[in-house]
Amino acid sequence: MAIAEKFIVLPFKKVRGGVAPGEMRQASNAVSAEKIATSMSTRFPGVAAYAVKVDEESGDMSDPRLIIQFGEVADLAAA
């Protein structure tokens, strides 16, 4: 089982009762993820960049670590 660290940026959109994740964007590194999140922050009610562990065989993501957050975001651990 090969595990790799990947960097993702998630915009969040308003839904009844809170926010929900939108379309995920991948970044090449933590600095890039932070820059993407910053640029998206004016267009969404919430944006967050995470480092996640990815099982390269199954594609399953785990252990999200928050890099930067803007506005209202949902807890990934609960999702």
Side-chain angles (χ1 to χ4, degrees):
M1 179 164 89
I3 302 291
E5 184 173 56
K6 304 282 183 171
F7 302 93
I8 61 170
V9 179
L10 277 176
F12 289 83
K13 56 189 175 189
K14 288 273 186 195
V15 295
R16 187 182 324 175
V19 292
E23 187 175 334
M24 177 180 66
R25 291 190 55 183
Q26 190 167 340
S28 56
N29 57 48
V31 172
S32 177
E34 190 171 334
K35 286 180 181 177
I36 293 167
T38 300
S39 71
M40 293 173 75
S41 67
T42 59
R43 298 188 313 264
F44 294 93
V47 178
Y50 299 92
V52 295
K53 303 283 189 213
V54 178
D55 179 331
E56 293 188 326
E57 293 172 16
S58 69
D60 291 339
M61 291 187 214
S62 63
D63 300 329
R65 178 176 53 84
L66 184 65
I67 297 170
I68 193 166
Q69 170 185 328
F70 296 95
E72 187 179 356
V73 301
D75 181 11
L76 282 190

